[in-house]
Amino acid sequence: MNILVLMKQTFDTEEKITLTDGKVNEDGIEFIINPYDEYAVEEAIKIKENDGGEVTIVSLGPSRTESAIRTAMAMGADKAILVENEDIPLDEFSAANILSSVIKEQEYDLILCGHMAVDDGSSQVPQRIGELLGIPYIGTAVKVEASGTQVVVERDVEGDTEIVEAVLPVIIAAQQGLNEPRYPSLPGIMKAKKKPLERLEIEDLNLSDDEVQPRTEEISIYLPPKKEAGRILKGELADQSKELIELLRNEAKVI
Amino acid sequence: MEEKKLIKGGSFLIDELQPEDIYTPEDFNEEHLMIAKTTWDFVAGEVLPKVEEMEHKNFDVAVKLLKEAGELGLLGADIPEEYGGVGLDKISSSLITENIAKAGSFALSHGAHVGIGTLPIVYFGNEDQKKKYLPLLATGEKIAAYALTEPVSGSDALGAKTTAVLSEDGQYYLLNGAKQFITNAGFADVFVVYAKVDGEKFTAFIVEREYPGVSVGPEEKKMGIRGSSTRPLILEDAKVPVDNVLGEIGKGHVIAFNILNIGRYKLGIGTVGSSKRIIELATKYAKERKQFKLPIASFPLIQEKIADMAVSTFVNESMIYRTGGLIEDSLSVIEGNKENQGREIAKGIAEYAIEASINKVYGSESLDFVVDEGVQIHGGYGFIEEYEVERLYRDSRINRIFEGTNEINRLLIPGTLLKKALKGEIALLAAADRLQKELMSLMPLMPEDTPLSQEKGMLDMAKKLTLMIAGLAVQKYQQKLEQEQEILRNVSDMIIELYAMESAILRTLKTLNKLGVDKAEHKLDMTQIYVQEAFDRVSLIGKNTLAAMEEGDVLRTQLSIHKKLSRYTPINTNALKRKVAARVIEAEKYL
């Protein structure tokens, strides 16, 4: 089974986010495989280990993405395609167009990806790609059984489980709990550097300007406001309740 | 590949090196970083959650974790691929050691297995022994241990009492004796054991746990590293096949001393990993803990501690990877020729015996300092077992004792240096002669306006002072120098500081050349702080040593030279330390 894994490189979840000149500071930051994508990588490798086939990583991002790709290769992915983009602004619309145009050139039975990226958290790209490719999309997968031309997926639906059967090819987005990603082994790491990585530019793809142009605009980036110190209301219980309602209505403006 | 000239061990004392001459952590490649990350992820994800169980002597956990480490290749870095290992360079295996060190006692189980337990077979085993044991050791199917120390022979390793006598049929050696403080003894399958054949020929053997006559005593109750197994190994007519002699009969000391060299180097790396862990814990705590309504991290005296911890760790790290680079360069040229390989490798490692001793002493004392301040930052909570830093404090103490006490290592440094000089391996004597003339016409430091110019000048002066004092000591005491242990220790301390200062200066300049001033600023600050403090220590040791050796007019003349060699304009280290601390506190980790 030929499996494509859509993978993004994101901030290490341990890193603190700071802003310089209204931009997220990337200096000295550790980058990792987006944790949800890591489940997708692991799942793809497990399916390959059972059924054979090939796992190809497809990424869009700056050239530093290579280190995430090499990690996926060290885990067991076979090859990768990286569409390099250092600073052209993109959004979910353009990213989906770019990735779909790469995928259309590939032979695949199954596409796996993360349910969302932990950086912008939009959770839009997989559905858009399913639409663009004309294949079914199955989200928040916690169990995947793929065999032959068939796939059975258990989905996490707000705490309940939904079981979906589909005919390949499909695109499946991984939810936390799908598996326990392996650590890249040392022999894996040494093999990874020799595995093929194809680098493309957005211009290499047959896309019109309109398809690459984002449909959304970034107005500004700011950190969440600092949490203010709490206040303890004093006095008679009835007065306190009154004051609380007053504050919720007029100060917090939540009721 | 570019032909690289090997740097002689100990030559740093007289040679002026360039930043490009030394290996630094900034030279790690992509694979190195991935190996470090895999190791740390394994430690954080699998080992740290089980530390408590291991501390309570549940060694099944340690054995299981070793096997898991084996599956990832973390036991096979130093074992060639043809024997089931991964066959990586020394920097890779160093990064594994550094990151495993953050796992506390488990690092001891791992280190005893992959280091002193397995390496004697890698380096000195014959083809059959390597084929038989290494693939099993690489996966963790068998666990190794190393048995040199005896109840009455610690530092005096060659004074071992364990004997080996050939059986009448010539098939076995019968080993008798007891080995003390054997790490992994509770569960190890294979022991590298030293015994004297016919009571005199010091020889290494590979002894399996299952052989008749092999048993272990009870677990020791230890101050620290309680999550590792330490027991005596008891040999009562232990039947060891003649095929299990490791190396040559009577040449056990070659193996023992070289494994000690490697062990010292590896211990040094471990201290870097532990120190980084402590800095992280202490910094996070200092930011959370509030007194007088402020996080204690905002108080300058706490900041100073954090800066001192960072500086010491930075210097330690710079020294250890510099030595790692030397060993890697020296071993990477030894390939193929299997006949002499063991001996060649032994020579390659022995070349840097001085550096390994320096790393051992500096690393263990740096870690002790760092962990002590780590506890202090935690205040009363640092004294409570629930806090990791309490365990780390107890775990640290052994490092100054094993792999040769720091006292023994301090004596080895000048001793080895002198031997190398007398053999003509380094031109120490010529340098001492040259110095005599230079000292007459000494010019005061005139720093240029380039980064670390003053520090480079101070390093040069410190080298001169050290050489002067070492030269005077040799002249004065000649054959009896060995008995002047205080003076040898002093010279040793000066040499250690030279290696420390130089490693920091060269690493920082290398970073600066490669990445520019902005990216090197933190290192520049730390180097300036360190060099000033170390220079003052060297100067003081120098003065005291002169006073111990000479008196009257001779002493006064020498003190006037000493004074000239100690002169510099001090910088404001308080301000620099606040800057260093601010960055570490912001990052909440060593950087």
Side-chain angles (χ1 to χ4, degrees):
Chain A
M1 189 176 295
N2 287 325
I3 308 169
L4 305 183
V5 180
L6 309 183
M7 192 187 82
K8 185 174 183 180
Q9 189 189 40
T10 52
F11 266 48
D12 191 328
T13 45
E14 302 270 307
E15 296 286 358
K16 280 214 325 241
I17 295 176
T18 56
L19 300 181
T20 315
D21 302 331
K23 284 205 167 112
V24 176
N25 202 347
E26 294 195 351
D27 229 25
I29 293 292
E30 299 268 342
F31 290 94
I32 57 166
I33 299 176
N34 172 40
Y36 292 98
D37 297 348
E38 202 180 2
Y39 300 127
V41 174
E42 173 65 30
E43 200 62 24
I45 296 166
K46 273 166 70 177
I47 295 171
K48 180 187 89 167
E49 283 169 349
N50 279 330
D51 289 4
E54 209 174 37
V55 175
T56 306
I57 305 291
V58 181
S59 287
L60 166 63
S63 64
R64 62 164 156 78
T65 308
E66 179 176 351
S67 73
I69 290 173
R70 294 291 172 202
T71 304
M73 288 172 164
M75 290 169 73
D78 301 286
K79 56 193 178 69
I81 303 167
L82 168 62
V83 184
E84 274 191 59
N85 174 37
E86 294 300 334
D87 41 27
I88 302 174
L90 301 172
D91 68 356
E92 293 77 12
F93 165 80
S94 42
N97 282 339
I98 291 164
L99 288 168
S100 300
S101 102
V102 174
I103 295 167
K104 279 178 188 157
E105 303 297 313
Q106 308 299 314
E107 281 183 24
Y108 61 90
D109 304 296
L110 175 63
I111 303 173
L112 286 163
C113 58
H115 139 75
M116 66 171 181
V118 295
D119 47 11
D120 52 27
S122 75
S123 197
Q124 284 189 28
V125 176
Q127 299 89 317
R128 287 176 178 271
I129 289 176
E131 182 69 25
L132 288 165
L133 297 173
I135 59 172
Y137 158 80
I138 305 170
T140 58
V142 289
K143 190 171 176 191
V144 175
E145 275 176 55
S147 58
T149 55
Q150 201 58 38
V151 65
V152 182
V153 178
E154 287 185 18
R155 297 186 58 221
D156 167 35
V157 281
E158 308 282 324
D160 262 326
T161 305
E162 180 182 64
I163 299 172
V164 182
E165 272 184 38
V167 175
L168 297 174
V170 294
I171 176 165
I172 300 173
Q175 170 66 301
Q176 187 173 6
L178 174 61
N179 53 44
E180 193 66 47
R182 69 194 66 192
Y183 303 106
S185 73
L186 267 53
I189 290 170
M190 300 317 283
K191 275 183 214 136
K193 64 176 168 187
K194 296 180 198 112
K195 291 183 177 175
L197 164 61
E198 186 186 349
R199 289 168 188 276
L200 299 173
E201 302 280 336
I202 294 175
E203 301 90 84
D204 299 339
L205 308 166
N206 262 330
L207 289 167
S208 65
D209 287 353
D210 192 44
E211 286 167 301
V212 179
Q213 188 70 37
R215 293 290 171 94
T216 51
E217 197 186 340
E218 194 178 278
I219 311 289
S220 77
I221 296 181
Y222 55 90
L223 293 172
K226 264 207 173 140
K227 201 175 159 234
E228 305 247 337
R231 203 187 316 166
I232 296 173
L233 303 179
K234 290 193 176 107
E236 292 294 320
L237 204 56
D239 297 337
Q240 281 191 39
S241 308
K242 242 184 236 165
E243 198 186 345
L244 179 63
I245 290 166
E246 180 75 9
L247 287 168
L248 288 174
R249 189 166 285 152
N250 297 326
E251 204 174 298
K253 293 186 175 131
V254 290
I255 53 173
Chain B
M1 216 177 84
E2 196 187 335
E3 191 74 15
K4 204 169 162 188
K5 199 167 163 280
L6 290 182
I7 292 172
K8 289 242 172 232
S11 65
F12 67 90
L13 188 56
I14 48 171
D15 287 347
E16 192 184 327
L17 291 172
Q18 299 304 315
E20 298 71 38
D21 293 333
I22 72 159
Y23 189 85
T24 72
E26 288 67 39
D27 297 321
F28 294 155
N29 62 31
E30 192 64 33
E31 282 78 36
H32 290 144
L33 297 174
M34 283 167 81
I35 287 166
K37 183 162 165 34
T38 273
T39 312
W40 169 240
D41 286 347
F42 172 71
V43 166
E46 311 300 322
V47 186
L48 287 180
K50 306 214 176 79
V51 161
E52 202 49 37
E53 278 177 75
M54 287 188 278
E55 287 287 299
H56 289 98
K57 310 266 179 251
N58 185 351
F59 296 131
D60 290 347
V61 173
V63 172
K64 189 167 161 277
L65 286 172
L66 280 172
K67 289 193 197 336
E68 284 177 33
E71 279 167 29
L72 290 177
L74 296 173
L75 304 182
D78 288 322
I79 300 176
E81 278 179 284
E82 52 189 307
Y83 305 110
V86 197
L88 299 178
D89 63 346
K90 288 294 153 234
I91 300 300
S92 298
S93 70
S94 301
L95 280 164
I96 295 171
T97 305
E98 180 186 323
N99 282 283
I100 291 264
K102 297 171 188 168
S105 296
F106 180 72
L108 274 290
S109 308
H110 176 267
H113 172 70
V114 300
I116 54 182
T118 298
L119 288 181
I121 303 176
V122 174
Y123 291 152
F124 301 98
N126 60 35
E127 192 57 23
D128 289 344
Q129 291 166 341
K130 288 186 193 175
K131 276 194 184 137
K132 181 174 175 191
Y133 291 106
L134 295 182
L136 300 172
L137 296 174
T139 56
E141 199 175 325
K142 299 256 183 205
I143 305 296
Y146 184 76
L148 172 63
T149 298
E150 296 187 6
V152 292
S153 68
S155 296
D156 179 18
L158 299 184
K161 296 278 183 286
T162 300
T163 58
V165 178
L166 194 61
S167 65
E168 277 176 21
D169 59 7
Q171 299 294 303
Y172 296 94
Y173 279 97
L174 296 175
L175 268 59
N176 278 288
K179 296 287 173 179
Q180 182 90 322
F181 304 145
I182 307 309
T183 305
N184 287 357
F187 48 77
D189 308 284
V190 179
F191 297 83
V192 172
V193 175
Y194 294 88
K196 285 183 174 165
V197 173
D198 303 329
E200 56 186 40
K201 289 177 225 138
F202 195 69
T203 305
F205 297 86
I206 305 170
V207 177
E208 294 184 30
R209 190 186 197 91
E210 300 305 319
Y211 291 162
V214 178
S215 62
V216 294
E219 277 293 334
E220 302 287 354
K221 295 192 172 76
K222 303 185 300 264
M223 173 194 284
I225 56 169
R226 290 184 182 163
S228 67
S229 168
T230 310
R231 293 171 183 241
L233 175 71
I234 297 155
L235 305 156
E236 292 165 306
D237 283 333
K239 255 176 108 176
V240 181
V242 287
D243 290 342
N244 279 31
V245 169
L246 186 59
E248 293 169 46
I249 289 176
K251 290 278 168 66
H253 61 281
V254 176
I255 302 178
F257 291 149
N258 281 295
I259 293 306
L260 270 175
N261 281 333
I262 282 277
R264 284 165 189 157
Y265 166 69
K266 283 192 180 262
L267 184 153
I269 310 164
T271 65
V272 174
S274 304
S275 297
K276 289 183 183 175
R277 175 82 185 152
I278 295 157
I279 289 174
E280 202 176 313
L281 293 171
T283 314
K284 283 190 173 140
Y285 182 85
K287 286 176 83 168
E288 276 166 23
R289 172 73 174 169
K290 282 188 181 162
Q291 289 292 282
F292 311 105
K293 293 187 178 154
L294 286 171
I296 60 169
S298 63
F299 301 128
L301 281 188
I302 298 293
Q303 290 170 7
E304 185 182 53
K305 288 184 195 302
I306 290 171
D308 286 337
M309 292 159 82
V311 169
S312 186
T313 304
F314 165 69
V315 175
N316 190 13
E317 182 186 51
S318 307
M319 294 162 82
I320 198 83
Y321 282 102
R322 175 182 179 185
T323 307
L326 291 172
I327 296 175
E328 174 57 25
D329 284 347
S330 133
L331 295 193
S332 65
V333 295
I334 306 165
E335 298 271 7
N337 181 3
K338 285 200 176 161
E339 281 287 292
N340 292 323
Q341 208 178 17
R343 253 171 291 162
E344 289 283 311
I345 288 169
K347 242 172 79 184
I349 300 166
E351 180 66 32
Y352 304 108
I354 295 170
E355 285 80 358
S357 283
I358 290 176
N359 288 135
K360 195 272 172 180
V361 172
Y362 191 93
S364 58
E365 291 176 8
S366 169
L367 173 59
D368 253 6
F369 165 75
V370 168
V371 79
D372 187 83
E373 292 288 39
V375 168
Q376 195 68 15
I377 289 172
H378 279 72
Y381 292 102
F383 206 67
I384 303 295
E385 274 186 30
E386 275 158 57
Y387 286 78
E388 191 178 333
V389 78
E390 183 272 349
R391 173 174 59 73
L392 293 169
Y393 182 85
R394 288 184 287 103
D395 287 351
S396 171
R397 189 60 182 83
I398 187 63
N399 287 302
R400 279 162 52 202
I401 298 169
F402 60 16
E403 303 294 333
T405 62
N406 285 13
E407 289 69 28
I408 288 288
N409 274 289
R410 280 193 159 91
L411 296 177
L412 280 171
I413 292 165
T416 311
L417 204 57
L418 201 56
K419 263 185 229 152
K420 285 176 90 91
L422 293 175
K423 275 198 230 160
E425 288 175 16
I426 47 175
L428 201 59
L429 304 177
D433 277 349
R434 251 195 334 270
L435 181 70
Q436 289 291 335
K437 290 175 202 115
E438 268 184 74
L439 290 179
M440 296 302 143
S441 53
L442 210 55
M443 297 295 283
L445 266 187
M446 297 287 276
E448 295 162 34
D449 195 22
T450 55
L452 300 186
S453 165
Q454 160 142 312
E455 286 70 21
K456 280 197 287 185
M458 288 161 85
L459 172 65
D460 185 50
M461 306 267 258
K463 280 190 182 184
K464 287 195 170 83
L465 184 63
T466 306
L467 204 54
M468 168 185 147
I469 287 181
L472 286 171
V474 172
Q475 257 177 23
K476 184 171 170 79
Y477 301 104
Q478 299 189 8
Q479 307 303 327
K480 288 183 182 155
L481 183 58
E482 217 174 300
Q483 292 157 28
E484 299 299 323
Q485 292 198 342
E486 303 96 322
I487 293 196
L488 287 172
R489 186 266 327 272
N490 288 359
V491 170
S492 201
D493 281 345
M494 295 171 90
I495 294 173
I496 292 169
E497 289 292 15
L498 293 180
Y499 196 64
M501 287 190 275
E502 186 170 72
S503 302
I505 292 172
L506 293 178
R507 177 180 177 188
T508 300
L509 290 175
K510 192 172 181 179
T511 308
L512 195 142
N513 294 344
K514 202 164 144 187
L515 304 171
V517 170
D518 277 359
K519 302 256 177 194
E521 204 189 347
H522 189 53
K523 292 187 176 71
L524 275 167
D525 292 344
M526 291 196 289
T527 303
Q528 289 183 66
I529 294 167
Y530 189 78
V531 170
Q532 179 155 315
E533 293 183 346
F535 186 81
D536 287 346
R537 285 194 291 270
V538 168
S539 170
L540 182 64
I541 298 170
K543 190 171 76 180
N544 291 339
T545 314
L546 286 175
M549 290 195 295
E550 305 289 355
E551 53 191 4
D553 282 348
V554 181
L555 176 61
R556 272 189 286 280
T557 313
Q558 280 162 358
L559 284 177
S560 73
I561 300 175
H562 172 273
K563 202 169 173 187
K564 276 193 203 165
L565 283 170
S566 300
R567 201 172 291 157
Y568 71 95
T569 312
I571 49 168
N572 178 358
T573 51
N574 286 358
L576 286 181
K577 284 183 186 182
R578 285 189 184 195
K579 278 169 69 187
V580 167
R583 296 185 199 107
V584 177
I585 290 167
E586 169 69 29
E588 294 184 19
K589 62 182 179 194
Y590 169 85
L591 78 165

